[in-house]
Amino acid sequence: MSQKCLDRRGRWRNKVVSFRISPEEDLELERAVRLSGLTKQEYITRRILCRDVIVQGNPRVYKALRNELNGVVEELKRLEPGMAAAPEMVEILRLMAELLTGMKEGSDHARR
């Protein structure tokens, strides 16, 4: 059994919530978590409770962004002319564009 722990507000996090997702949804979730720079628990908690996910630019986030962009470029190279990109790829491109726009505007964070 996992150990109880305190969150940043001094509350015990001793409740377990679990759910099933498809492998495709898991990939999408993992990408969003990597790009956020948060832990998976913190990312999911913020999204479920409709709180902003504020991405702080740091080396880990930049590396994740670079790696995801390289993966998207490779996928786009495989597409035949006239073929549409997969909806998952479009979503990750939208997320990366949003992050880059936030960084370009000179702010130290981007909201999701």
Side-chain angles (χ1 to χ4, degrees):
M1 185 168 201
S2 64
Q3 211 173 14
K4 296 178 186 177
C5 61
L6 289 172
D7 69 3
R8 292 182 182 158
R9 295 184 182 169
R11 299 175 295 198
W12 286 107
R13 285 191 165 172
N14 56 356
K15 296 290 184 178
V16 175
V17 177
S18 65
F19 52 92
R20 296 178 190 271
I21 58 175
S22 70
E24 296 81 12
E25 291 168 328
D26 182 54
L27 286 174
E28 192 174 338
L29 175 62
E30 290 293 336
R31 284 178 175 151
V33 169
R34 276 193 306 272
L35 291 172
S36 74
L38 299 171
T39 65
K40 186 184 278 189
Q41 176 179 330
E42 190 63 32
Y43 180 83
I44 291 172
T45 300
R46 288 183 185 188
R47 296 293 291 171
I48 288 172
L49 298 175
C50 299
R51 296 181 187 149
D52 287 337
V53 174
I54 299 174
V55 178
Q56 299 292 331
N58 62 45
R60 192 167 116 194
V61 170
Y62 289 120
K63 183 178 178 183
L65 191 56
R66 182 194 68 213
N67 292 343
E68 290 299 329
L69 190 55
N70 286 336
V72 168
V73 167
E74 290 303 314
E75 284 296 316
L76 290 174
K77 285 179 181 177
R78 285 184 251 213
L79 290 178
E80 298 288 329
M83 285 180 63
E88 296 83 13
M89 188 185 314
V90 173
E91 176 59 24
I92 199 67
L93 279 169
R94 187 195 63 72
L95 174 59
M96 289 189 299
E98 190 176 317
L99 291 171
L100 289 171
T101 299
M103 290 177 192
K104 179 183 173 191
E105 291 173 353
S107 67
D108 61 343
H109 65 275
R111 292 188 184 265
R112 167 113 157 83

